[in-house]
């Protein structure tokens, strides 16, 4: 059985994952509007992954007989100054998610809630991957700078993500 504090903190994490999905959807639409369909595809796949993260926590709460309470998801921004600015924002966002997961792990440890700690292990590993893939794209976009050719190559590369 989960504590009330753990239940509400996990519900907050669901909201954060849903907001993550929402912001990547907004980034996908920003790229669509700028004719960068490969970038849009990458963000769209990411939005889907974030939804699956929210569902993973919902499923866990359900299994534990705890109540899932959905709360309002804030509106994401609509525009970014450049593809690089969008990916820098994505990386910054992932760092916030990582910090939030770490706080959850700390709480699970404090409460000796081993089941939740084990469940969160998946998210700890996932965050390493999420930060690393966003960072890799940020680094590449910094190399490309204003090269239209580089951007075209990146667009077709990011279009391959499934
Ligand atoms: Fe589910 Fe990208 O954090």
């Amino acid at each position: 059985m989960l504590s009330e504090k753990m239940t509400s903190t996990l519900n907050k994490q669901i909201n954060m994952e849903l907001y993550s999905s929402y912001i990547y959807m907004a980034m996908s639409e920003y790229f669509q509007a700028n004719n960068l369909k490969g970038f849009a595809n990458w963000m769209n796949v990411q939005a889907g992954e974030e939804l699956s993260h929210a569902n993973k926590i919902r499923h866990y709460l359900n299994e534990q007989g705890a109540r899932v309470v959905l709360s309002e998801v804030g509106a994401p921004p609509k525009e970014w100054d450049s593809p690089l600015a969008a990916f820098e924002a994505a990386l910054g966002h992932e760092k916030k998610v990582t910090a939030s997961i770490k706080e959850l792990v700390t709480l699970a440890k404090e409460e000796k809630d081993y089941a939740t700690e084990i469940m969160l292990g998946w998210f700890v590993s996932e965050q390493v991957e999420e930060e690393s893939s966003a960072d890799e794209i940020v680094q590449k976009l910094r190399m490309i700078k204003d090269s239209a050719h580089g951007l075209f190559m990146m667009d077709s590369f990011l279009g391959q993500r499934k």
Side-chain angles (χ1 to χ4, degrees):
M1 184 150 170
L2 301 181
S3 72
E4 259 180 48
K5 188 172 179 188
M6 181 57 81
T7 302
S8 79
T9 314
L10 285 170
N11 270 302
K12 277 189 198 136
Q13 190 63 34
I14 290 177
N15 184 276
M16 192 174 208
E17 300 294 345
L18 290 174
Y19 179 74
S20 304
S21 184
Y22 218 23
I23 196 171
Y24 294 135
M25 227 181 266
M27 286 177 180
S28 181
E29 294 307 323
Y30 157 75
F31 286 123
Q32 278 286 350
N34 286 281
N35 292 314
L36 290 166
K37 295 197 187 311
F39 280 83
N41 169 68
W42 193 96
M43 284 295 177
N44 202 42
V45 174
Q46 190 60 34
E49 279 200 6
E50 298 299 348
L51 190 57
S52 79
H53 297 170
N55 284 334
K56 219 178 229 303
I57 303 170
R58 279 178 60 216
H59 178 68
Y60 178 71
L61 286 168
N62 288 337
E63 267 190 322
Q64 287 278 13
R67 186 76 164 96
V68 171
V69 182
L70 297 175
S71 50
E72 190 174 55
V73 180
K78 187 176 144 206
E79 298 290 342
W80 287 268
D81 288 341
S82 63
L84 174 60
F87 269 93
E88 281 173 339
L91 178 59
H93 180 71
E94 286 307 323
K95 286 182 177 169
K96 280 189 206 157
V97 176
T98 300
S100 178
I101 296 288
K102 278 186 186 165
E103 278 176 27
L104 267 164
V105 173
T106 304
L107 178 64
K109 281 183 189 290
E110 278 168 11
E111 293 190 352
K112 295 191 174 23
D113 180 349
Y114 303 119
T116 303
E117 192 181 337
I118 289 168
M119 183 277 290
L120 290 169
W122 182 90
F123 282 88
V124 172
S125 308
E126 178 70 6
Q127 280 314 115
V128 174
E129 206 181 302
E130 300 258 284
E131 280 194 37
S132 153
S133 55
D135 186 55
E136 191 186 331
I137 298 168
V138 165
Q139 298 308 328
K140 285 193 170 120
L141 287 170
R142 282 186 185 149
M143 270 190 270
I144 286 169
K145 290 195 177 133
D146 295 328
S147 155
H149 179 68
L151 207 56
F152 178 78
M153 298 281 287
M154 270 301 276
D155 194 53
S156 70
F157 171 66
L158 296 178
Q160 289 166 24
R161 186 178 186 194
K162 289 192 174 80

